[in-house]
Amino acid sequence: MNTLHKLAAGCLAVCWAFAAASCTDDISLPCSGQTGDSAGAGKIEAYLQSESGKSESTVELRGEDVRSLVRLGLTHVAGEAVDVTLRVAPELVEAYNEEHETSFELFPENLVSIEENGAVLIGPEDVFSDYMALDLTAGEGVVEGQTYLLPVAFDVITEGIAPAAGREAVYLLVKVSGERPDATKPGGFKMVSYIEVNDMNPLNVKNYFLAESGKPFFDIVNIFAANINYDAASGRAYVHFNDNVAHLLANRDKYIAPLQEMGIRVCLTILGNHDRVGVANLSAEGAREFARELRVVVDTYGLDGVDFDDEWSDYPSRPDEAPGFLVPSSELYGRLLIETRRVMPDKLVTLYAYGHTSFYNPIDGKRIGEVVDYAWNSSYLYPDYNSRKDFLGLLPEQWGPYSICLNPDSNQYTGDTLSDAEIQKVHEGGYGVMVWYDLRTDKRQSYVSRFSQVSRVVYGEEVVKQGYDYGKDW
């Protein structure tokens, strides 16, 4: 990872073969409603969005009712009150599954309650309604461990207002998690740990807790790393595991499940591997095929998503240098991210902000900030608050400006130089994620004080360590 450790040699390639399925193009995501005089504004359209502003969001049911918020928007002020009715839309499930190559079942309508029976009013001078609550209940008809789809659409009662094409619904992906603990802390701030699994055991992440609430300190663990590799025989890209990654995945019940049972989500980082292919030079069809293969990997090993890192690829400088692959660009990288989100709408998609990550413009009608869940600063030597602007549509709570390297042997080690001022700036600025790279047990390091330094600010609690250090036992 960025001037740190290269992957070990002697990799074991695992190539997944499956048939390509046809599907339609992704639905474009919207622009926000505009205020101002309605005169001369042209046709007024209505659209629906979640609290995050996206057309899709994930909700977890953990034995208690969960509330999700949506609101209606108008492209222009109407000059009159606009009446709209929200409703569950079972008829959209089949089309959604075809588009995303998924097989979600409808979340039972009898377990959904819409505020005010779905009646929504947008004022004459407003472009947004108030947020409306969707209350979901875990009850009979749902199976623990399964994800369901809940499309919520709307009908416009007021004449002259049309639904915006492609924006007629919000899709909630409802994960029924039962009584499984949740690592989410108040405020939603996320702690991410990259584990160098060539020599470290990922189980060490589960030893750190908040002192009062007992919540796990870490929310996400990234297994660093699998690779995107070139297969000369087929001329295509495939997912490649070295021996260490392969062992952890093959023994997920020992190394991955214990983290997930605490509510920690475990993802797989995808990294270049010194050949002509990388995450930023796939063709449109190549991106679609590779995203499908990633979904197979995630499903096979029960992972919670994928993380991308655009490093260590020997990209061609001309198309003729690598037939079947293109000169790398942010647009090509963005298309891979879009394809990954399309086939994994219920999984995490995160990004290490290095390489071809200048996503200033929509790609295929989508803003990358609405495609990825989180992205973070790729340097450990200084905080970076400005690169969030490289990700069109990325909100502050999705950006990690202050990343920390915990390996004292690295030339980017910052574990002893945590800045109280920067921690406070991250918190007060509304940023929502912090990365800790290369947590180790072989350097006689004590991380409790460093974790507590951050935790006191963002969670109001100290961090404690429980349990013993896990060595590499494979």
Side-chain angles (χ1 to χ4, degrees):
M1 177 177 288
N2 194 13
T3 74
L4 294 176
H5 305 284
K6 296 184 179 180
L7 292 176
C11 295
L12 173 64
V14 178
C15 183
W16 307 90
F18 46 86
S22 62
C23 56
T24 57
D25 290 336
D26 281 321
I27 296 172
S28 297
L29 289 175
C31 56
S32 298
Q34 303 172 9
T35 58
D37 210 348
S38 61
K43 182 175 66 174
I44 300 175
E45 296 183 324
Y47 58 91
L48 189 61
Q49 63 181 199
S50 67
E51 190 174 11
S52 64
K54 300 180 181 180
S55 60
E56 295 179 5
S57 61
T58 300
V59 177
E60 286 199 68
L61 278 176
R62 296 181 176 271
E64 297 180 353
D65 291 358
V66 170
R67 170 165 289 186
S68 186
L69 301 178
V70 298
R71 69 174 176 178
L72 267 297
L74 301 175
T75 52
H76 302 285
V77 169
E80 62 175 326
V82 176
D83 286 297
V84 182
T85 302
L86 295 180
R87 61 181 176 83
V88 176
E91 72 276 8
L92 298 180
V93 172
E94 182 178 356
Y96 183 96
N97 281 330
E98 289 181 1
E99 170 69 18
H100 294 81
E101 302 181 33
T102 52
S103 57
F104 298 122
E105 296 178 11
L106 175 69
F107 185 78
E109 294 182 65
N110 64 304
L111 301 180
V112 182
S113 175
I114 303 179
E115 184 179 358
E116 300 294 340
N117 292 319
V120 182
L121 181 69
I122 303 177
E125 302 302 321
D126 296 327
V127 290
F128 287 115
S129 71
D130 292 334
Y131 278 104
M132 301 288 290
L134 308 173
D135 291 315
L136 313 183
T137 302
E140 292 186 8
V142 295
V143 178
E144 185 173 331
Q146 187 165 326
T147 299
Y148 295 84
L149 181 65
L150 177 62
V152 178
F154 64 93
D155 299 312
V156 182
I157 299 172
T158 304
E159 293 185 2
I161 309 295
R167 305 195 53 199
E168 306 94 335
V170 161
Y171 296 89
L172 300 183
L173 294 154
V174 186
K175 294 184 176 182
V176 181
S177 300
E179 299 298 329
R180 179 177 295 179
D182 184 5
T184 302
K185 275 77 72 177
F189 196 97
K190 305 296 183 186
M191 298 294 177
V192 179
S193 176
Y194 278 92
I195 299 294
E196 285 269 10
V197 300
N198 285 340
D199 47 18
M200 284 292 114
N201 191 323
L203 291 176
N204 287 294
V205 170
K206 73 184 187 70
N207 288 343
Y208 298 93
F209 299 86
L210 299 191
E212 296 177 20
S213 66
K215 291 274 191 176
F217 177 67
F218 287 105
D219 298 270
I220 301 170
V221 173
N222 287 331
I223 296 174
F224 192 80
N227 302 103
I228 177 172
N229 267 28
Y230 173 69
D231 178 38
S234 65
R236 61 182 290 273
Y238 67 95
V239 181
H240 172 103
F241 306 142
N242 72 11
D243 292 342
N244 296 292
V245 173
H247 181 85
L248 294 177
L249 295 179
N251 294 276
R252 72 165 313 279
D253 288 346
K254 179 177 180 180
Y255 298 105
I256 295 172
L259 299 174
Q260 294 174 323
E261 289 166 0
M262 298 171 61
I264 299 171
R265 291 185 280 184
V266 181
C267 300
L268 184 65
T269 297
I270 303 299
L271 183 71
N273 200 21
H274 308 283
D275 62 24
R276 68 180 63 182
V277 66
V279 295
N281 75 328
L282 300 177
S283 66
E285 183 55 34
R288 183 156 291 199
E289 289 181 359
F290 191 71
R292 288 174 179 144
E293 185 166 326
L294 288 175
R295 178 76 207 213
V296 171
V297 171
V298 167
D299 287 346
T300 299
Y301 296 109
L303 299 171
D304 295 294
V306 291
D307 171 64
F308 290 96
D309 182 1
D310 184 19
E311 296 188 79
W312 306 117
S313 292
D314 295 332
Y315 287 121
S317 57
R318 304 190 315 271
D320 61 350
E321 292 178 340
F325 299 97
L326 306 173
V327 174
S329 69
S330 294
E331 181 178 0
L332 296 178
Y333 195 179
R335 285 180 178 170
L336 175 59
L337 296 172
I338 290 167
E339 288 295 338
T340 303
R341 169 58 67 203
R342 182 181 65 83
V343 298
M344 286 193 259
D346 56 330
K347 303 295 182 180
L348 284 174
V349 178
T350 63
L351 199 64
Y352 185 73
Y354 189 83
H356 298 82
T357 55
S358 298
F359 305 112
Y360 304 128
N361 300 304
I363 300 171
D364 294 342
K366 290 185 177 292
R367 304 192 301 172
I368 290 301
E370 297 170 318
V371 173
V372 302
D373 292 285
Y374 304 104
W376 36 74
N377 175 19
S378 60
S379 174
Y380 308 101
L381 298 177
Y382 57 86
D384 182 353
Y385 298 92
N386 295 320
S387 290
R388 181 177 69 87
K389 299 174 184 177
D390 295 347
F391 298 81
L392 183 67
L394 195 75
L395 302 175
E397 56 262 35
Q398 296 174 270
W399 175 246
Y402 193 33
S403 300
I404 303 298
C405 176
L406 294 171
N407 185 350
D409 292 339
S410 168
N411 60 4
Q412 293 202 38
Y413 176 58
T414 45
D416 287 336
T417 58
L418 276 169
S419 165
D420 289 336
E422 294 299 342
I423 296 168
Q424 197 65 42
K425 185 175 180 179
V426 168
H427 183 55
E428 293 178 353
Y431 299 98
V433 60
M434 188 168 180
V435 166
W436 305 82
Y437 177 70
D438 204 9
L439 184 151
R440 307 190 68 83
T441 59
D442 58 348
K443 305 297 180 183
R444 297 188 178 181
Q445 295 287 100
S446 176
Y447 298 124
V448 170
S449 62
R450 295 156 205 177
F451 294 163
S452 291
Q453 187 178 350
V454 176
S455 184
R456 281 193 296 269
V457 176
V458 300
Y459 302 132
E461 294 188 51
E462 301 283 333
V463 171
V464 295
K465 183 179 180 182
Q466 299 174 359
Y468 57 88
D469 291 338
Y470 294 86
K472 182 181 177 183
D473 58 358
W474 65 90

